[in-house]
């Protein structure tokens, strides 16, 4: 279990200068809750300059620290700009062809740059009996080798993302328990238990607390509800 509940907002390909300068209205990290927002790349410096009470992350990075990769962004540059975390392996990027090994390389690059990778995993279809095993296998293949410290895991069932449909909190708890068992098997009890595992997929102010009340649910990854300051603040308040 991590000490503070994590609330990570993912703006996806949304947001603007106007929304970014409103960041102080989105809430603040406290002793109980750590808050982060992941805006599109160009808004990261403005987000960092706007509000020190919210950590700033990116939504992706390249696996290489530099090179001839037109359009890609390297983890060391994100760190230089003041980002402290980066989402890797989001299902919307996996849908573009990213595989588990790509995600593992990106996570490794993030750690090397001093960023915390938020490694996303989740089953595509609802109602799979073997979802726990499938998601654990996906995580196993998406993790950097040997390192547990600094990693954040996000369980996001693809069918719940942006759909307004959420799994039963007990179902989420069962998946998170399976992921925790994997992390403990790989890294030992202390290090495996310290990796935060957050839930994402149609999280809002009404349902967030039901997820974070479950064992092994250390926070939430919030898409749509992170675009509205009042709604995002309400999510933070709900899980505090
Ligand atoms: P959502 O997105 O909250 O809009 O479902 C979550 C995510 O994709 O991280």
């Amino acid at each position: 279990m991590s000490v503070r509940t994590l609330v990570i907002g993912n703006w996806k390909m949304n947001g603007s200068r106007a929304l970014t300068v409103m960041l102080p209205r989105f809430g603040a990290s406290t002793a109980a809750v750590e808050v982060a927002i992941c805006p599109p790349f160009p808004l990261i410096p403005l987000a960092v300059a706007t509000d020190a009470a919210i950590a700033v992350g990116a939504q992706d990075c390249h696996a290489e620290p530099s090179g001839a990769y037109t359009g890609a962004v390297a983890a060391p540059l994100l760190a230089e700009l003041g980002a402290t975390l980066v989402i890797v392996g989001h299902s919307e990027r996996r849908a573009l062809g990213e595989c588990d090994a790509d995600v593992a390389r990106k996570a490794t690059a993030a750690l090397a740059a001093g960023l915390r990778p938020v490694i996303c995993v989740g089953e595509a279809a609802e109602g799979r009996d073997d979802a726990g095993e499938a998601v654990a296998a996906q995580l196993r293949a998406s993790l950097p080798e040997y390192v547990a410290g600094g990693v954040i895991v996000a369980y996001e069932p693809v069918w719940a993302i942006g759909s307004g449909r959420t799994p039963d909190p007990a179902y989420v708890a069962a998946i998170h328990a399976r992921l925790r068992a994997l992390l403990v098997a790989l890294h030992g009890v202390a290090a495996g238990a310290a990796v935060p595992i957050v839930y994402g997929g149609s999280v809002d102010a009404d349902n967030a607390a039901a997820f974070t009340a479950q064992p092994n649910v250390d926070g939430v990854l919030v898409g749509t509800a992170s675009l509205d300051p009042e709604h995002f603040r309400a999510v933070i308040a709900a899980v505090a």
Side-chain angles (χ1 to χ4, degrees), residues 63 94 98-108 138 141-143:
R94 291 178 183 267
E98 204 166 284
C99 68
D100 294 338
D102 295 328
V103 178
R105 279 192 291 271
K106 290 180 176 197
T108 302
Q138 192 185 24
S142 302
L143 285 171

Side-chain angles (χ1 to χ4, degrees), residues 10 12 90-92 156 160-164 200-203 221-225:
N10 174 12
K12 309 192 179 186
H90 190 282
S91 65
E92 288 154 13
E156 298 203 296
I161 294 175
S163 66
S202 295
V203 170
L221 179 52
V222 187
T224 310

